[in-house]
């Protein structure tokens, strides 16, 4: 059974019965849920919805759609009659349908990222030496490397929150389906890419500091891979609005991913996110996932494939929170949806090891925030990845906010 159409104004719902022999009303029970930012706001059942095999049917489902938030209707299908191996009530599957409203932003991160009164007491101090800038207030201290244009230290409440410099990230551990494409990636030296800063300008603006940068992602022996403009905007509460725009040299192959990698202390081991879950999801691999508010340990996000490879990413996210044992939180929200991966394993470890039992955990919680992530495809034994799932745009943008 699949949704054909839904009219939000009239509540007219059209379903199609793909079964060969059973009328829909005899075979399954349909329940519905209405969620707003992952919280259920309405639920119920559709009774005696009849459709002959391979026929459409119409029914009425009038929903009170919230004016704000990410709102989805989900239909869940349950077995109605007894089968040789299944009992009545067994969940057969689900389908979700995005609903429209005036403001479809996830309201939870919106509220976290707004508010608070700017005051002179929270003024940000800027100092520098020959290799770095230091931005500090009574609440935080951040250190930015002049050579890369990226942060090397985040300190809040007197504790260091990042144990290794952040990186702009275009590499992923090749999957089985990347077996041919990975040779192109390695010839392009994507696995050896690093960031170089050409220009950094510090612009004070009332109670914020704006850092405007010209960067590049480069690798030895090849021309510039990405030419980039990056802006960090730090406010007096320590929130960092980030805007990245990049142009890729068209001579290079499609990118595995495009985003940022942070190496946090391993005590950041609890994850809450709004996106597609609970299992891993990618832009071409998410039919078994649905939008919701999910909680997990970092260790539980790892998919233990026999041969180590890219895994555990979550697609179409609008909000993410990592929490430490002392209840400190790192909140991430995107003005565009993003993918994320949080793991105790680095992508280098997943790339070089041939068997899962050989993997060694890093001393960090490795957080990858991706504006773009290549699809998985089926190229190990099938066609090349479809164009709509590739990261082959000449121009890339990624905007998000970090809030410690």
């Amino acid at each position: 059974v699949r949704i054909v159409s839904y009219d939000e104004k009239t509540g007219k719902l059209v379903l199609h019965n793909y079964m060969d022999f059973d009328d829909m009303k005899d075979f399954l029970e349909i329940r519905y849920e209405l969620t707003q930012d992952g919280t259920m706001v309405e639920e119920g059942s559709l009774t005696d919805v009849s459709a002959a095999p391979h026929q459409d049917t119409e029914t009425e489902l009038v929903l009170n759609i919230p004016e704000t938030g990410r709102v989805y209707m989900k239909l869940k299908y349950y077995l109605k009659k007894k089968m040789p191996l299944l009992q009545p009530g067994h969940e057969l599957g689900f389908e979700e349908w995005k609903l429209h409203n005036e403001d479809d932003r996830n309201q939870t991160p919106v509220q976290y990222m707004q508010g608070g009164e700017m005051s002179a007491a929270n003024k940000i101090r800027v100092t520098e030496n020959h290799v770095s800038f230091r931005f500090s207030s009574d609440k935080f201290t951040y250190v930015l490397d002049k050579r890369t244009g990226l942060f090397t230290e985040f300190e809040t409440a007197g504790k260091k929150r990042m144990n290794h410099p952040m990186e702009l990230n275009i590499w992923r551990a090749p999957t089985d389906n990347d077996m041919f494409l990975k040779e192109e990636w390695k010839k392009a030296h994507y696995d050896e890419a690093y960031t170089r800063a050409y220009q950094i300008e510090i612009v004070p603006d009332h109670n914020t500091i704006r850092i405007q940068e010209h960067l590049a992602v480069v690798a030895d022996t090849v021309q510039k891979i990405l030419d980039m403009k990056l802006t960090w905007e730090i406010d007096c509460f320590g929130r960092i609005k980030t805007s990245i725009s990049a142009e890729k040299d068209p001579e290079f192959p499609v990118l595995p991913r495009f985003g940022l990698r942070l190496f946090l202390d391993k005590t950041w081991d609890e994850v809450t996110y709004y996106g597609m879950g609970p299992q891993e999801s990618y832009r071409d691999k998410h039919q078994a996932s649905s939008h919701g508010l999910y909680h997990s340990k970092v260790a539980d996000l790892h998919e233990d494939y026999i041969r180590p490879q890219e895994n555990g990413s979550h697609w179409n996210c609008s909000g993410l929170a990592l929490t430490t044992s002392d209840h400190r939180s790192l909140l991430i929200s995107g003005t565009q949806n993003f993918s994320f991966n949080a793991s105790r394993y680095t992508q280098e470890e997943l790339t070089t090891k041939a068997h899962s039992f050989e993997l060694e955990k890093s001393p960090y919680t490795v957080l990858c925030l991706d504006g773009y992530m290549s699809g998985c495809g089926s190229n190990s034994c099938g066609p090349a990845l479809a164009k709509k799932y590739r990261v082959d745009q000449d121009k890339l943008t990624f905007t998000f906010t970090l809030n410690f």
Side-chain angles (χ1 to χ4, degrees):
V1 177
R2 286 289 182 267
I3 299 173
V4 176
S5 64
Y6 179 65
D7 189 315
E8 298 174 11
K9 293 182 179 179
T10 65
K12 177 183 172 183
L13 175 66
V14 181
L15 301 172
H16 183 83
N17 181 2
Y18 283 91
M19 292 181 286
D20 293 325
F21 305 107
D22 286 281
D23 189 295
M24 190 189 304
K25 67 178 176 61
D26 299 324
F27 190 80
L28 54 82
E29 175 193 355
I30 304 174
R31 303 174 195 170
Y32 68 87
E33 297 175 353
L34 180 68
T35 59
Q36 177 188 30
D37 296 335
T39 300
M40 189 188 303
V41 294
E42 188 176 335
E43 63 179 329
S45 298
L46 300 177
T47 57
D48 296 325
V49 180
S50 177
H54 299 286
Q55 298 296 314
D56 289 348
T57 186
E58 295 180 8
T59 189
E60 186 178 85
L61 177 55
V62 178
L63 298 171
N64 184 20
I65 301 173
E67 295 181 356
T68 62
R70 297 283 172 91
V71 180
Y72 284 88
M73 172 184 71
K74 180 188 280 189
L75 299 187
K76 302 173 78 171
Y77 307 114
Y78 294 87
L79 184 65
K80 183 179 276 188
K81 67 179 186 179
K82 186 174 181 180
M83 302 288 286
L85 299 177
L86 298 174
Q87 296 297 317
H90 178 80
E91 185 174 352
L92 299 170
F94 67 87
E95 186 173 8
E96 67 174 10
W97 191 269
K98 190 176 190 311
L99 303 177
H100 302 89
N101 56 12
E102 293 183 7
D103 182 0
D104 72 347
R105 295 178 300 167
N106 188 332
Q107 297 302 299
T108 302
V110 167
Q111 292 170 10
Y112 273 116
M113 297 303 173
Q114 293 177 348
E117 247 180 72
M118 304 283 188
S119 70
N122 293 334
K123 185 177 180 180
I124 303 171
R125 300 176 292 275
V126 183
T127 57
E128 65 176 299
N129 57 33
H130 65 290
V131 296
S132 64
F133 292 100
R134 180 179 293 270
F135 307 93
S136 58
S137 75
D138 296 338
K139 297 177 177 292
F140 62 86
T141 298
Y142 301 155
V143 178
L144 184 93
D145 193 320
K146 291 182 176 180
R147 295 161 294 188
T148 65
L150 303 173
F151 288 99
T152 58
E153 292 182 29
F154 288 135
E155 183 179 306
T156 60
K159 291 186 177 181
K160 287 189 175 182
R161 302 302 178 180
M162 189 167 67
N163 292 349
H164 181 83
M166 67 167 53
E167 300 173 353
L168 285 165
N169 193 22
I170 62 171
W171 179 252
R172 78 177 186 193
T175 68
D176 291 332
N177 291 325
D178 294 331
M179 61 185 298
F180 302 113
L181 190 55
K182 72 178 180 183
E183 300 305 323
E184 294 183 42
W185 291 346
K186 289 185 176 181
K187 286 179 183 177
H189 295 266
Y190 287 169
D191 57 332
E192 300 171 344
Y194 57 93
T195 306
R196 176 179 294 170
Y198 298 129
Q199 182 179 7
I200 301 176
E201 182 182 5
I202 309 297
V203 183
D205 184 12
H206 299 292
N207 289 311
T208 65
I209 296 291
R210 190 166 65 253
I211 308 164
Q212 299 175 164
E213 304 177 346
H214 178 201
L215 313 176
V217 173
V218 298
D220 295 343
T221 75
V222 296
Q223 67 265 37
K224 189 190 303 180
I225 300 169
L226 295 173
D227 189 75
M228 305 177 58
K229 302 290 186 183
L230 191 156
T231 300
W232 310 101
E233 186 174 311
I234 309 172
D235 70 20
C236 63
F237 300 101
R239 296 177 294 216
I240 307 174
K241 294 182 180 179
T242 309
S243 177
I244 308 172
S245 60
E247 292 191 18
K248 182 174 76 70
D249 187 322
E251 295 295 320
F252 282 90
V254 300
L255 295 174
R257 74 193 323 156
F258 174 71
L260 200 67
R261 182 161 63 148
L262 286 75
F263 299 84
L264 304 171
D265 189 89
K266 63 183 180 181
T267 56
W268 297 85
D269 64 350
E270 297 273 356
V271 177
T272 301
Y273 65 96
Y274 180 85
M276 299 211 77
Q279 60 268 61
E280 64 178 15
S281 56
Y282 292 79
R283 61 198 305 184
D284 65 339
K285 180 188 172 185
H286 55 264
Q287 291 300 312
S289 302
S290 63
H291 290 86
L293 186 64
Y294 298 102
H295 309 272
S296 176
K297 288 280 192 180
V298 166
D300 294 334
L301 294 176
H302 177 72
E303 297 285 349
D304 195 28
Y305 292 109
I306 294 174
R307 189 185 72 79
Q309 55 194 283
E310 161 64 31
N311 74 86
S313 186
H314 290 274
W315 182 68
N316 211 225
C317 296
S318 58
L320 168 66
L322 276 81
T323 309
T324 66
S325 55
D326 62 349
H327 307 296
R328 301 293 296 181
S329 293
L330 167 60
L331 308 175
I332 298 105
S333 68
T335 53
Q336 68 189 73
N337 288 345
F338 60 91
S339 295
F340 86 92
N341 173 295
S343 176
R344 291 296 307 281
Y345 302 105
T346 66
Q347 58 203 32
E348 292 80 8
E349 181 74 4
L350 295 170
T351 299
T352 56
K353 296 298 173 63
H355 305 93
S356 60
F357 65 82
E358 298 175 313
L359 290 174
E360 296 181 17
K361 293 181 179 179
S362 76
Y364 321 111
T365 290
V366 184
L367 174 64
C368 294
L369 301 173
D370 297 305
Y372 302 80
M373 168 64 83
S374 177
C376 297
S378 58
N379 197 211
S380 62
C381 58
L385 186 66
K387 184 175 178 61
K388 63 182 178 179
Y389 301 129
R390 302 174 193 168
V391 186
D392 64 351
Q393 300 91 327
D394 290 336
K395 295 184 178 181
L396 304 161
T397 60
F398 187 23
T399 57
F400 58 93
T401 300
L402 301 172
N403 185 9
F404 282 94

